[in-house]
Amino acid sequence: MPEDLTPEPKAAPTIKDLENEGDVAADYIEELLDIADLDGDLDIDARNGRAYVSVTASEQGNVRVLSRPETVSALQELTRLAVQNKTGQYSRLILDVGGSRQTREQELAALVDAAAARLEGGAAAAALPPMSSYERKLVHDLVSERGLVSHSDGEGKDRHTVITAGA
């Protein structure tokens, strides 16, 4: 009888694993900030099965040059790779620079509101632009809160959320 070659399901990371991930990420970000001569304070948190690292600065701080969504996304991917290289484990780390996540959440809420208005206006469905899996998760939560239905469609960089009124 052949052996079952199915890999064992991976256990969810522990709080200690996530804290370690956050520490490795913070070290990487701190070094990057030093190289770029940028000032910022780092906060590390572990929640919802993910490590969260936030970079904040005073109102006059120069870290805001890194807070554009595209820049945060690229920096997050680099940080995830650095964590994976150090720990040997895939990282689902979330990075926030200068409040960029809160700003993006507000933008996503506005997109969902506009889609809901299109549905109220008679549209059968409303497709949102492509976004990351984390952003799609936030959108699915927002859609659910509004009593609507959503699903993801497309592949890779074209994956996006479609919202409908439901059954």
Side-chain angles (χ1 to χ4, degrees):
M1 188 175 252
E3 279 186 57
D4 182 11
L5 299 177
T6 306
E8 290 290 320
K10 187 162 187 214
T14 66
I15 292 294
K16 185 174 180 164
D17 293 337
L18 295 174
E19 288 171 348
N20 181 51
E21 224 178 269
D23 288 340
V24 171
D27 289 345
Y28 177 79
I29 298 287
E30 190 168 20
E31 191 172 327
L32 179 78
L33 291 174
D34 286 345
I35 290 168
D37 196 27
L38 298 173
D39 297 319
D41 297 316
L42 292 134
D43 295 313
I44 305 167
D45 192 15
R47 63 183 187 273
N48 302 325
R50 292 180 187 243
Y52 287 76
V53 176
S54 299
V55 181
T56 57
S58 66
E59 203 58 40
Q60 294 79 27
N62 54 4
V63 76
R64 71 178 166 269
V65 300
L66 297 177
S67 65
R68 290 186 44 223
E70 301 83 15
T71 306
V72 173
S73 181
L75 185 55
Q76 177 176 278
E77 288 307 310
L78 289 172
T79 305
R80 285 178 172 176
L81 288 171
V83 169
Q84 183 174 346
N85 186 46
K86 182 89 170 185
T87 66
Q89 301 295 318
Y90 175 76
S91 172
R92 295 178 53 217
L93 170 112
I94 299 297
L95 178 65
D96 179 39
V97 178
S100 60
R101 290 287 170 192
Q102 183 177 4
T103 300
R104 184 61 177 152
E105 287 172 15
Q106 292 168 348
E107 292 169 354
L108 293 173
L111 285 173
V112 170
D113 289 343
R118 289 196 306 267
L119 294 174
E120 288 172 9
L128 301 184
M131 57 188 71
S132 72
S133 61
Y134 178 75
E135 290 176 336
R136 288 193 314 275
K137 165 72 169 94
L138 293 175
V139 166
H140 291 307
D141 291 346
L142 290 166
V143 167
S144 178
E145 289 172 8
R146 288 166 174 75
L148 300 170
V149 176
S150 62
H151 69 275
S152 293
D153 195 22
E155 297 294 326
K157 296 226 179 256
D158 293 327
R159 196 147 174 85
H160 61 280
T161 307
V162 178
I163 303 170
T164 61

